[in-house]
Amino acid sequence: MSNEHAPLLAHGVCGLSVDTAVCGMGGSEGTGEASTPNAVPRKLNTFFGVIVPTVLSMFSIVLFLRTGFVVGHAGLLQGLVMLLVAYTIISLTILSICAISTNGAVQGGGAYFMISRSLGPEFGGSIGLMFFLAKVCACGVYVLGLVEAILDIFGQDPVSASALRVLPQGYWYTVLYSSIVLLLVLLVCLVGAHIFARTSFLILLGPGNQTLTYNASYTGFNGTTLRDNLGSSYTVDYSTGKVMSFASVFAVMFTSCTGIMAGANMSGELKNPSAAIPKGTITAVLYTCIVYVLLFILASSTCERTLLVQDYGFFQRINIWPPFVTIGIYCSALSAAMCSLIGASRILHALALDQLFGFPLAPAAITSSSGNPWVAVLYTWGLAQCVVFAGQLNAIAGLVTVFYLLAYAAVDLACLALEWASAPNFRPTFQVFSWHTCLLGILSCLVMMFVINPVYSSASIILLLLLLLFLHYRSPTSSWGYISQALIFHQVRKYLLMLDVRKDHVKFWRPQVLLMVANPRSSCQLINFVNQLKKGGLFVLGHVKLGDLDTLPSDPVQQQYNFWLSLVDKLGVKAFVDLTLSPSVRQGTQHLLRITGLGGMKPNTLVLGFYDSCTPEDYFLQDPAFYESEEAGGDDFGVDLPSLQAHFPPVRHVESPRWLTPEEYVGIISDAIKMSKNVCLGRYFFQLQGESMGTKMDGAERIIDVWPLNLLRPGSTSAASVDVCSLFLLQMACVLNMASRWRHARMRIFLCVEAESSDQGWVVKEETFRELLRKLRIRASIKIVPWDSVVQLYGQKQTQDAELGELGLMRPAPALSEDFLSAVNCLLMEHSAQAAVRFLYLPRPPTHSSQSQQYLSQLEAVTQGLGPTLLIHGLTPVTCTEL
């Protein structure tokens, strides 16, 4: 699947100098034999390639042996109603076939090609394989029916002493005769499709029915006979011993209508399939419909009901020369068997060329020098040989019809999906269809499946689902285009327009995260962690490529998307990727914060890695998914493991220059806050274990610690006055606790109090905080942490200056002593050393860029050696006690 068998255009542009295909959704690729430069020229025209196979497939042995059965039991009026219903169903499908086949080039594989190129490899491959199996079973049915007809004339009969009855009968003799007939069919199909078409034409010219001679039950054209045969008279079927009904008779009659794709399956041999398939199929169906209507009228006008019901082979008794009917039965069965065998082999050949099922079908792609897929023919013959070992065709006939109907429903579904997707390139030249006809065709086929045989219908749908899962698991990818992508785009656009940001409510808030990644080699653990933190919200990986487009010949960002998307696939995270080109990281981050997302789905939270002097670790050397050898072809989009490794540069060394300065890093934080975005800084997440895709854990042994107060400004908040930032921090911790890998983690909330203070109001404030947690439905244990000694180190003057700074009355912000910062760090180490992750309050960055280094130094000192820590500054109201 990594390479296509033929380009959309051989050379030139769309509509100019086109050699083998035209621009269109129907034929973006070929399937091999007809689209390559060395391909054998197509030989068949509309008459031989479409009309003849379709007519002969629909004129099966039902025409000769079941016309009396239908008219005798159902009567003329209900028989015509059955014809009307049956031909309405197949006509709806034919409209879909014509629409798809006239929307671009059609290559070998017929129905499979149409479905796969419209619905994608999963659906096309599963339906194609089922259609192949249906044709294999149909071939076996026709062969067994032919053998039964032969034995009716030439089989040994103890009662009759006719010299013609010389063939011994029995199960193994039936298998032997069937194998001989099947071998004859194989020889014709091995020669090639053009020989088959001409053989079929000779069969079509073969004997017909001449109702001139009559017996006791044949009245000739008689008004009384016609009047007696108008109504229904369902009686016991002498061949099965069961009482017939409208549904059972219709099921038998409908088997004669399952050959409408015989011409479409010859698409690889047609000179102009886009024109031949619609014209030939419609012509053949109209012709067969007229013949069936005339036969029903003639039979009901000339034959008494007793004759019709008691002798299904009554044509022999009323024919001018009985062998005419016998020869007709033999010819129609033989032709139908050949049509099924060659049609199935073409479908199998197309499946093999597309490599959907891997090695088992690979040999079926081999063709002879004349272009005949002889290996696929042998495959099909072998399976058909297995079918004839059943020895009975009645058990298989219903399954064949159900498979055909499922394939017809899939064609209607393909056309419906293309119509609903509203893709500009879906412009079929055949316009006599709409989504109403497609939908009605699908429903009609599904209803008829269950009318004919509910068990077979249920089993076939289950088999289809299993094949879909198998192909989806194999993840075959092609450049055919996926109708699912077009439908998703159509629906997502519609719903994004309905997602009105003016209707946002705190009740339904969720984090929508933009994670800035400099080098994913050192950020994979943080990427995995944020994937757990998003809670079904938007998750975007952002990256800034330094450069100026004015000095470059082309945009270097466009070529990088495949590597980043492959990284997302490797990590198994549900994230989008957004890359930008900018002269600076800060300016690029501003771009992404403004333009990432669409409509109501835009990031509300910025996550950054921490700015420190730690030597980053290379995650690619730790995860087996990034260093163990995989299949040579890499992923389905041309990015193999060595290319992915080479694309992302090695991690930064200690001596290596940094991409951004402390002033620029703090400026990014300030920019995000000015743009009303929440900010999170992640440190030490390379130490976090159990976040990779293959890890299975529920967090039962994990602890989440939350410090909701501003530890760097002891006097700015208290246990009672929890600000928006503190509530945001609590909300993010709860979101993490709801994630699959953290759902059983224990959450602890630490409240720092001055226990030695003369004012013992902190006890009341603690109760107030507990009541707040109860109203917010946050399940967590509260830990009271005395920090009188830490507050003393902060000092009274610093407290006053901090308060003035918060009020905007004094700038710049005060410096914090190293002793105080060390004390805060020791406090965190003492109480949160065992936590898996810590949530800390991130103070607002300084206004003056000259204090950026001081700000970062304070954060680094406080979090030194803590382990995975997320510093959070929240601006968005995310919860309230009234919810």
Side-chain angles (χ1 to χ4, degrees):
M1 298 300 300
S2 60
N3 61 335
E4 286 301 315
H5 307 297
L8 178 65
L9 301 176
H11 63 276
V13 296
C14 187
L16 301 176
S17 302
V18 181
D19 285 351
T20 60
V22 295
C23 258
M25 296 181 63
S28 58
E29 288 80 32
T31 52
E33 75 275 13
S35 56
T36 56
N38 300 323
V40 177
R42 300 165 181 260
K43 300 179 180 180
L44 300 182
N45 57 21
T46 302
F47 182 75
F48 285 109
V50 181
I51 295 178
V52 170
T54 304
V55 168
L56 287 174
S57 295
M58 300 184 73
F59 282 167
S60 61
I61 46 181
V62 173
L63 174 71
F64 297 96
L65 300 180
R66 290 297 182 268
T67 300
F69 167 81
V70 174
V71 177
H73 286 284
L76 177 61
L77 295 181
Q78 288 195 16
L80 293 177
V81 170
M82 291 180 183
L83 276 178
L84 177 64
V85 173
Y87 272 84
T88 299
I89 293 175
I90 64 173
S91 297
L92 293 171
T93 303
I94 289 170
L95 297 181
S96 300
I97 295 174
C98 295
I100 297 176
S101 62
T102 59
N103 187 60
V106 178
Q107 305 298 336
Y112 160 70
F113 182 90
M114 297 178 190
I115 297 170
S116 63
R117 268 48 175 188
S118 299
L119 299 184
E122 292 96 341
F123 209 97
S126 55
I127 286 290
L129 186 62
M130 295 187 67
F131 199 37
F132 163 74
L133 294 176
K135 284 214 161 277
V136 169
C137 293
C139 181
V141 166
Y142 296 137
V143 169
L144 288 172
L146 176 58
V147 170
E148 286 188 10
I150 292 174
L151 292 178
D152 283 343
I153 304 297
F154 301 102
Q156 290 181 351
D157 187 352
V159 179
S160 175
S162 173
L164 294 176
R165 294 186 171 273
V166 295
L167 296 178
Q169 299 193 60
Y171 169 77
W172 288 108
Y173 283 110
T174 300
V175 173
L176 175 62
Y177 304 147
S178 300
S179 302
I180 295 172
V181 173
L182 193 58
L183 184 61
L184 175 63
V185 173
L186 171 67
L187 294 176
V188 174
C189 293
L190 282 177
V191 174
H194 60 288
I195 298 298
F196 156 72
R198 280 152 180 77
T199 305
S200 299
F201 179 60
L202 294 177
I203 293 174
L204 184 62
L205 296 178
N209 301 309
Q210 306 293 331
T211 55
L212 298 178
T213 309
Y214 60 90
N215 57 28
S217 295
Y218 175 75
T219 64
F221 289 100
N222 189 295
T224 303
T225 303
L226 176 62
R227 187 169 53 254
D228 292 341
N229 289 329
L230 286 178
S232 62
S233 179
Y234 295 106
T235 58
V236 176
D237 172 23
Y238 72 85
S239 64
T240 62
K242 297 180 180 179
V243 178
M244 293 293 98
S245 64
F246 183 92
S248 57
V249 174
F250 181 79
V252 173
M253 191 279 297
F254 193 79
T255 57
S256 64
C257 302
T258 56
I260 60 174
M261 286 191 178
N265 292 329
M266 303 292 292
S267 58
E269 283 77 20
L270 296 173
K271 292 178 181 178
N272 186 4
S274 294
I277 291 175
K279 187 188 303 182
T281 304
I282 293 175
T283 302
V285 169
L286 288 175
Y287 173 72
T288 57
C289 181
I290 293 171
V291 171
Y292 274 118
V293 170
L294 290 176
L295 279 177
F296 279 23
I297 295 175
L298 291 174
S300 59
S301 302
T302 59
C303 300
E304 294 180 353
R305 187 182 297 273
T306 304
L307 173 63
L308 299 177
V309 172
Q310 297 300 325
D311 186 4
Y312 298 156
F314 75 99
F315 276 143
Q316 288 179 303
R317 301 182 61 183
I318 67 174
N319 199 271
I320 189 172
W321 187 52
F324 267 137
V325 176
T326 303
I327 296 173
I329 294 173
Y330 294 171
C331 290
S332 64
L334 189 62
S335 171
M338 287 191 296
C339 181
S340 297
L341 185 65
I342 201 167
S345 66
R346 267 44 181 183
I347 296 172
L348 184 65
H349 179 62
L351 285 167
L353 286 175
D354 290 338
Q355 303 175 21
L356 293 181
F357 293 92
F359 178 75
L361 296 186
I366 300 173
T367 60
S368 64
S369 58
S370 62
N372 188 31
W374 62 274
V375 178
V377 173
L378 290 177
Y379 264 59
T380 309
W381 169 78
L383 290 176
Q385 181 64 56
C386 296
V387 173
V388 301
F389 276 100
Q392 296 289 334
L393 62 85
N394 291 340
I396 312 170
L399 181 62
V400 172
T401 304
V402 166
F403 275 166
Y404 274 123
L405 284 171
L406 192 58
Y408 298 165
V411 173
D412 289 322
L413 178 62
C415 190
L416 176 67
L418 290 171
E419 178 71 7
W420 274 354
S422 301
N425 278 329
F426 184 57
R427 298 189 299 269
T429 57
F430 183 87
Q431 293 290 325
V432 190
F433 78 99
S434 69
W435 69 266
H436 305 86
T437 62
C438 300
L439 185 60
L440 187 58
I442 294 172
L443 296 177
S444 301
C445 290
L446 293 177
V447 169
M448 282 313 307
M449 283 172 58
F450 285 91
V451 167
I452 291 172
N453 194 310
V455 176
Y456 285 162
S457 301
S458 303
S460 63
I461 293 175
I462 292 173
L463 177 60
L464 172 65
L465 295 177
L466 292 176
L467 290 172
L468 278 170
L469 291 174
F470 170 76
L471 290 176
H472 180 73
Y473 179 77
R474 285 195 76 240
S475 299
T477 309
S478 70
S479 56
W480 306 339
Y482 295 81
I483 190 63
S484 58
Q485 296 297 304
L487 290 172
I488 290 171
F489 177 88
H490 188 70
Q491 293 301 110
V492 166
R493 180 194 62 84
K494 181 172 68 175
Y495 287 120
L496 276 175
L497 291 172
M498 297 170 61
L499 191 60
D500 193 340
V501 293
R502 297 168 296 182
K503 298 179 181 178
D504 283 347
H505 194 276
V506 65
K507 185 189 306 183
F508 305 110
W509 180 90
R510 66 180 72 234
Q512 304 199 83
V513 182
L514 170 64
L515 171 61
M516 297 302 299
V517 179
N519 189 346
R521 285 180 177 270
S522 57
S523 308
C524 288
Q525 292 285 33
L526 183 57
I527 294 173
N528 286 321
F529 176 77
V530 175
N531 186 59
Q532 295 288 312
L533 196 62
K534 68 181 186 303
K535 186 53 181 175
L538 180 68
F539 181 23
V540 181
L541 299 182
H543 175 73
V544 178
K545 175 74 174 177
L546 295 179
D548 187 354
L549 194 59
D550 289 339
T551 63
L552 298 171
S554 62
D555 186 3
V557 168
Q558 299 303 319
Q559 291 79 23
Q560 296 188 18
Y561 271 97
N562 270 4
F563 295 97
W564 283 85
L565 292 173
S566 296
L567 172 74
V568 168
D569 293 338
K570 286 280 188 186
L571 293 175
V573 297
K574 297 178 180 178
F576 298 94
V577 173
D578 211 347
L579 312 178
T580 189
L581 182 71
S582 178
S584 69
V585 175
R586 181 178 181 180
Q587 186 176 341
T589 305
Q590 289 180 10
H591 294 167
L592 293 178
L593 282 172
R594 292 185 188 278
I595 66 175
T596 295
L598 198 63
M601 293 190 66
K602 297 183 74 68
N604 55 31
T605 304
L606 174 68
V607 180
L608 302 172
F610 197 78
Y611 191 97
D612 58 18
S613 58
C614 292
T615 303
E617 297 189 14
D618 193 340
Y619 183 81
F620 284 12
L621 301 179
Q622 302 174 15
D623 192 332
F626 288 95
Y627 62 79
E628 287 185 354
S629 60
E630 297 187 349
E631 59 272 14
D635 69 8
D636 299 313
F637 299 93
V639 179
D640 56 15
L641 195 57
S643 300
L644 187 66
Q645 291 271 17
H647 177 74
F648 297 110
V651 296
R652 177 182 55 83
H653 297 290
V654 179
E655 299 83 6
S656 302
R658 307 184 69 104
W659 285 9
L660 68 167
T661 63
E663 291 76 18
E664 192 174 12
Y665 180 83
V666 176
I668 292 173
I669 300 174
S670 299
D671 294 341
I673 293 176
K674 291 176 183 177
M675 298 167 71
S676 300
K677 307 294 183 184
N678 311 295
V679 180
C680 302
L681 308 182
R683 189 179 190 190
Y684 292 125
F685 274 91
F686 62 87
Q687 299 178 5
L688 186 62
Q689 303 297 322
E691 290 299 297
S692 58
M693 180 172 56
T695 305
K696 295 182 179 180
M697 60 185 309
D698 57 8
E701 304 300 324
R702 290 179 164 184
I703 299 174
I704 302 172
D705 281 355
V706 183
W707 298 76
L709 306 182
N710 189 348
L711 299 179
L712 297 185
R713 303 290 185 269
S716 61
T717 56
S718 66
S721 57
V722 178
D723 60 7
V724 172
C725 182
S726 299
L727 287 176
F728 183 86
L729 194 144
L730 289 171
Q731 180 80 343
M732 295 296 282
C734 289
V735 169
L736 180 64
N737 206 183
M738 297 167 69
S740 59
R741 293 175 183 164
W742 295 83
R743 66 166 64 96
H744 296 299
R746 292 184 294 119
M747 188 162 69
R748 304 184 301 184
I749 300 177
F750 292 89
L751 295 182
C752 297
V753 299
E754 297 182 51
E756 299 176 1
S757 172
S758 57
D759 180 13
Q760 295 297 311
W762 64 268
V763 178
V764 178
K765 295 174 183 177
E766 177 194 350
E767 292 301 321
T768 304
F769 192 83
R770 291 184 185 276
E771 180 65 17
L772 174 65
L773 294 184
R774 186 189 65 79
K775 291 181 178 180
L776 296 178
R777 303 167 310 283
I778 297 177
R779 292 177 296 179
S781 59
I782 297 179
K783 306 292 184 182
I784 302 300
V785 180
W787 71 332
D788 301 79
S789 59
V790 177
V791 174
Q792 290 175 4
L793 291 173
Y794 184 73
Q796 183 65 34
K797 182 178 182 300
Q798 285 83 351
T799 303
Q800 294 174 353
D801 291 344
E803 291 173 351
L804 292 174
E806 291 289 328
L807 295 173
L809 302 178
M810 180 177 180
R811 290 186 176 87
L816 301 175
S817 67
E818 293 185 5
D819 291 340
F820 170 73
L821 296 174
S822 177
V824 174
N825 178 254
C826 291
L827 185 73
L828 293 170
M829 292 287 290
E830 178 184 354
H831 294 280
S832 286
Q834 303 302 318
V837 66
R838 301 144 195 84
F839 287 77
L840 303 184
Y841 190 114
L842 175 67
R844 182 181 288 269
T847 305
H848 298 287
S849 60
S850 60
Q851 292 188 305
S852 297
Q853 182 62 61
Q854 173 186 303
Y855 176 74
L856 291 178
S857 298
Q858 293 173 1
L859 298 180
E860 183 175 3
V862 168
T863 58
Q864 184 67 37
L866 276 183
T869 303
L870 201 66
L871 295 110
I872 299 177
H873 188 89
L875 299 175
T876 307
V878 293
T879 187
C880 68
T881 58
E882 298 176 359
L883 293 181

